[in-house]
Amino acid sequence: MISAKDIRQRFQGLAKVREDYEGLWQDVADLVAPRRSDLQDTQLPGKKRGLKIYDGTPRAACQQHADGLFGYLCSPSTVWFNLKIARKDVSKIPEVRAYLQDATIQLHYAFTRSNFYAVTPEYFFDGCSIGTATMYAEEDPSTGKVVFTPRHPREIYIAANQFGSVDVLFRKFKLTARNAVEKFPTGLSNMIISAARNTPEAEYEFLHAVYPNTNKQQGKKNNKNMRYTSVYTEFKGTDDILSHGGYNEFPYSVWRYRTSSGEVYGRSPASDALVEILGLNQVTKSVLKASQLAVEPAYNVPKEMRGKVRIAPKGMNYYDEDRRMITPINVPSQLPAGEAQQLRMQKAIDANFHIDFFTLLSRAALDGRQLTVPQVVEMQGEKGAMLGAVVGRLNGDFFDNTVDRMFQIETAAGRMPEIPDVLYESGETMIETEYMGILAQAQRQQMRVQSITRTMDIITPLAEINPAVLDRIDFDELVDEVFDANSFPTDAIIPLEEANEMRAAQAQQAQQQQDAQMMSEAASKVPAVTGEVADSSVLNQLMGGGEEE
């Protein structure tokens, strides 16, 4: 039997693990992500933030990296994923192809109806700055839309299974008293129930725990017998369970930009470049002071002129003795040295955030370089390969889980197309997601298309010497690979069976034309004949005649 005491005790263990990361998070938030700087939830809403920042380069680089990932991976203006079957023989069945296409269209429509594209950039920014980003997805029953909510890092406490995947998440959050009463009709403490009547906007803390259901009973189908258990409790107060349910799939998508061995929470480009970020902030602070001192130097002022000095433009300062002058204090400043340090650190920070990849074309234009299309493809493929590890983890932690969650919600709501029987009959019901964003295509083209073109460049001269080497190539399979690598529209691809029928018809037509041409040439060589042609003559046989049997 689950108790609130057990949930709170487990939460304390997760909180103990997270303590080691909170100092790093605070440094990153203060200098890179000021919107997330209130990690202790002690700042008043509307309070000024980012006052510790003297150089905006790290924040701008992080924002550009997050926006670049969003635009290159899941832009709303592109079809950024397709559903597919791993087995090629099954995926080529017309009914299966039609189902996969219809299901993909429905999922894209569901993402468009939701707020996914509005909040995902914020999610990416959390991953690129704090290192661990969390998104929760649920359906709004009143509209049928899926609502995505990026959770603040301060709310999240996680644990991973033996394979390194996050499967335990505790969320500590606040609700106003009136919202708590609406969400939890029973089980609330008398303190919150009373506050809902007297001070309805007063806030109270709650826990939401999601973890694998180890007490699942075979054959039972209810909200307490799903793969993951979901429990809500008050953080302090009553020991009653406010809500006990479950999920068939993990409802939170937790993306860790990268993880070190033995660590649960992620590390980001911001944490990797923290030395440069701290150094740049300090150098810029010193340069600002030196610049201000150079523009507004300190002055030596005669004591008797206290309160009478005018330093403003056209200010008049009168004195009786020539030696009693107002003079500036000459403080040596090393602005060039400081600016050189700034530039070096800014470049190091940009390198950590891969800014050169996301600004490839604009920088080329600014430098006056003319790039051909093959050069752009090659350069994007190269940069895409460098981001392969980041994209791979993002696919596994975020996109796979998010698409699966959307698929389950849309299926439960009856909005997905029916799975064809032939798919069940084939024994292949594992539907995979293929990502087709700009970056994914660049990587695919770099690895697959380029290898095909390079191989053909080598084989072509050999085929000129011995055409028989082309017999080793299945050109239909090769074309399928090119179609797949370039995400060619499936509707525009003629099925192989239909193509073979067209080829056979074309070959038969060509043979008939060749036979007719041969007959015409043979007839032209036969001398003119008058009179009737005998049935047994060669000419009559060439003309298709002959004796009837």
Side-chain angles (χ1 to χ4, degrees):
M1 183 68 178
I2 301 173
S3 68
K5 182 179 179 180
D6 294 335
I7 296 297
R8 292 168 187 157
Q9 185 175 0
R10 189 170 184 180
F11 169 79
Q12 294 301 327
L14 295 175
K16 185 68 175 176
V17 173
R18 207 189 76 170
E19 285 180 359
D20 296 334
Y21 299 87
E22 292 174 354
L24 172 64
W25 288 7
Q26 192 64 62
D27 288 339
V28 170
D30 287 341
L31 300 179
V32 181
R35 294 194 301 270
R36 295 303 205 193
S37 61
D38 188 15
L39 293 173
Q40 303 302 321
D41 197 16
T42 56
Q43 297 179 8
L44 296 175
K47 182 180 178 181
K48 293 180 180 179
R49 298 178 182 178
L51 299 180
K52 296 181 180 180
I53 297 176
Y54 290 93
D55 193 304
T57 298
R59 183 196 59 76
C62 185
Q63 187 68 64
Q64 194 165 19
H65 187 73
D67 292 344
L69 288 177
F70 175 75
Y72 272 81
L73 295 177
C74 59
S75 170
S77 61
T78 62
V79 178
W80 54 273
F81 72 88
N82 270 336
L83 299 182
K84 62 179 295 186
I85 300 292
R87 282 177 52 186
K88 290 187 177 181
D89 59 329
V90 177
S91 65
K92 293 179 180 179
I93 299 174
E95 294 87 348
V96 174
R97 288 177 55 190
Y99 164 74
L100 294 175
Q101 180 171 300
D102 292 343
T104 299
I105 292 174
Q106 176 58 36
L107 286 180
H108 275 285
Y109 175 66
F111 276 110
T112 301
R113 291 179 68 241
S114 73
N115 65 333
F116 175 81
Y117 297 110
V119 301
T120 299
E122 180 183 352
Y123 175 84
F124 282 174
F125 189 84
D126 282 345
C128 297
S129 56
I130 301 298
T132 301
T134 305
M135 183 85 82
Y136 180 70
E138 61 182 337
E139 183 182 14
D140 180 358
S142 63
T143 63
K145 297 179 181 180
V146 178
V147 179
F148 292 88
T149 309
R151 299 303 187 187
H152 198 295
R154 69 165 177 254
E155 298 180 353
I156 303 304
Y157 302 80
I158 60 175
N161 59 22
Q162 60 179 328
F163 304 108
S165 299
V166 175
D167 64 345
V168 174
L169 188 147
F170 279 52
R171 177 179 169 238
K172 179 185 175 184
F173 64 101
K174 291 182 178 180
L175 284 176
T176 61
R178 67 183 182 91
N179 288 339
V181 171
E182 290 177 2
K183 186 174 180 65
F184 307 113
T186 60
L188 289 170
S189 62
N190 292 330
M191 176 178 61
I192 296 180
I193 295 175
S194 176
R197 294 192 296 265
N198 303 318
T199 56
E201 302 307 319
E203 292 185 328
Y204 295 88
E205 293 180 322
F206 295 85
L207 284 177
H208 181 208
V210 179
Y211 51 89
N213 185 1
T214 56
N215 298 318
K216 183 177 179 181
Q217 299 179 12
Q218 296 294 333
K220 287 189 176 182
K221 294 184 178 181
N222 55 53
N223 61 351
K224 295 182 181 181
N225 200 46
M226 298 184 178
R227 289 182 59 197
Y228 295 94
T229 296
S230 171
V231 177
Y232 283 91
T233 69
E234 288 185 31
F235 185 67
K236 296 178 181 178
T238 178
D239 287 336
D240 292 341
I241 296 296
L242 303 179
S243 175
H244 182 193
Y247 301 95
N248 282 323
E249 65 284 330
F250 201 63
Y252 291 95
S253 296
V254 182
W255 172 42
R256 296 163 295 169
Y257 192 96
R258 65 170 60 93
T259 56
S260 299
S261 178
E263 294 188 344
V264 177
Y265 293 88
R267 292 185 179 269
S268 67
S271 61
D272 292 342
L274 188 58
V275 173
E276 288 83 1
I277 292 172
L278 291 170
L280 176 62
N281 204 57
Q282 186 60 47
V283 168
T284 302
K285 182 179 180 180
S286 300
V287 169
L288 288 173
K289 286 183 177 180
S291 300
Q292 184 179 11
L293 189 60
V295 175
E296 299 178 347
Y299 288 88
N300 290 315
V301 182
K303 185 176 182 180
E304 64 272 13
M305 295 188 69
R306 180 189 297 271
K308 303 176 182 179
V309 178
R310 298 175 177 85
I311 306 299
K314 297 184 180 181
M316 301 296 183
N317 295 281
Y318 301 97
Y319 55 89
D320 294 329
E321 300 179 16
D322 292 346
R323 295 180 181 178
R324 304 290 287 170
M325 298 179 63
I326 302 171
T327 58
I329 299 175
N330 294 321
V331 179
S333 60
Q334 300 295 328
L335 290 181
E339 291 172 351
Q341 281 287 83
Q342 279 181 297
L343 183 60
R344 182 186 68 80
M345 292 180 179
Q346 287 171 347
K347 288 183 176 179
I349 292 169
D350 284 349
N352 273 277
F353 285 101
H354 301 282
I355 299 303
D356 56 341
F357 170 76
F358 298 110
T359 59
L360 176 66
L361 298 180
S362 59
R363 290 195 176 189
L366 290 174
D367 295 340
R369 290 179 291 162
Q370 297 290 334
L371 298 178
T372 63
V373 173
Q375 285 178 322
V376 172
V377 172
E378 187 73 24
M379 293 172 71
Q380 286 185 332
E382 176 187 355
K383 299 300 182 181
M386 293 176 62
L387 289 173
V390 175
V391 175
R393 177 171 282 277
L394 186 56
N395 288 345
D397 286 354
F398 178 53
F399 288 124
D400 286 350
N401 192 55
T402 301
V403 173
D404 288 348
R405 176 78 171 141
M406 180 66 84
F407 188 97
Q408 294 295 334
I409 292 175
E410 292 296 296
T411 299
R415 293 188 287 265
M416 293 297 292
E418 291 291 334
I419 298 177
D421 294 336
V422 67
L423 197 55
Y424 290 113
E425 294 169 359
S426 68
E428 183 62 53
T429 57
M430 181 63 69
I431 300 175
E432 300 178 352
T433 306
E434 179 185 36
Y435 299 104
M436 300 166 54
I438 298 174
L439 183 55
Q441 291 189 42
Q443 292 175 316
R444 192 179 299 114
Q445 290 173 355
Q446 173 72 8
M447 301 303 297
R448 296 172 63 180
V449 177
Q450 294 296 326
S451 64
I452 291 174
T453 56
R454 283 195 296 267
T455 302
M456 293 305 298
D457 288 342
I458 297 173
I459 290 178
T460 299
L462 299 177
E464 293 177 356
I465 300 173
N466 183 7
V469 298
L470 296 178
D471 296 337
R472 298 287 305 280
I473 300 175
D474 186 341
F475 283 96
D476 286 323
E477 186 67 26
L478 188 63
V479 169
D480 283 341
E481 285 291 323
V482 175
F483 284 157
D484 186 56
N486 288 279
S487 303
F488 196 81
T490 55
D491 285 345
I493 301 175
I494 297 175
L496 182 59
E497 295 79 6
E498 186 176 341
N500 286 333
E501 292 176 0
M502 294 171 58
R503 291 167 181 170
Q506 291 170 357
Q508 183 179 3
Q509 184 178 3
Q511 184 63 43
Q512 290 175 349
Q513 291 176 350
Q514 183 179 0
D515 292 343
Q517 181 67 25
M518 291 176 60
M519 290 175 60
S520 176
E521 292 177 357
S524 65
K525 295 179 181 179
V526 177
V529 178
T530 59
E532 295 183 358
V533 179
D535 292 340
S536 61
S537 67
V538 176
L539 180 58
N540 186 56
Q541 294 177 7
L542 288 174
M543 295 175 63
E547 297 181 355
E548 294 183 358
E549 296 181 0

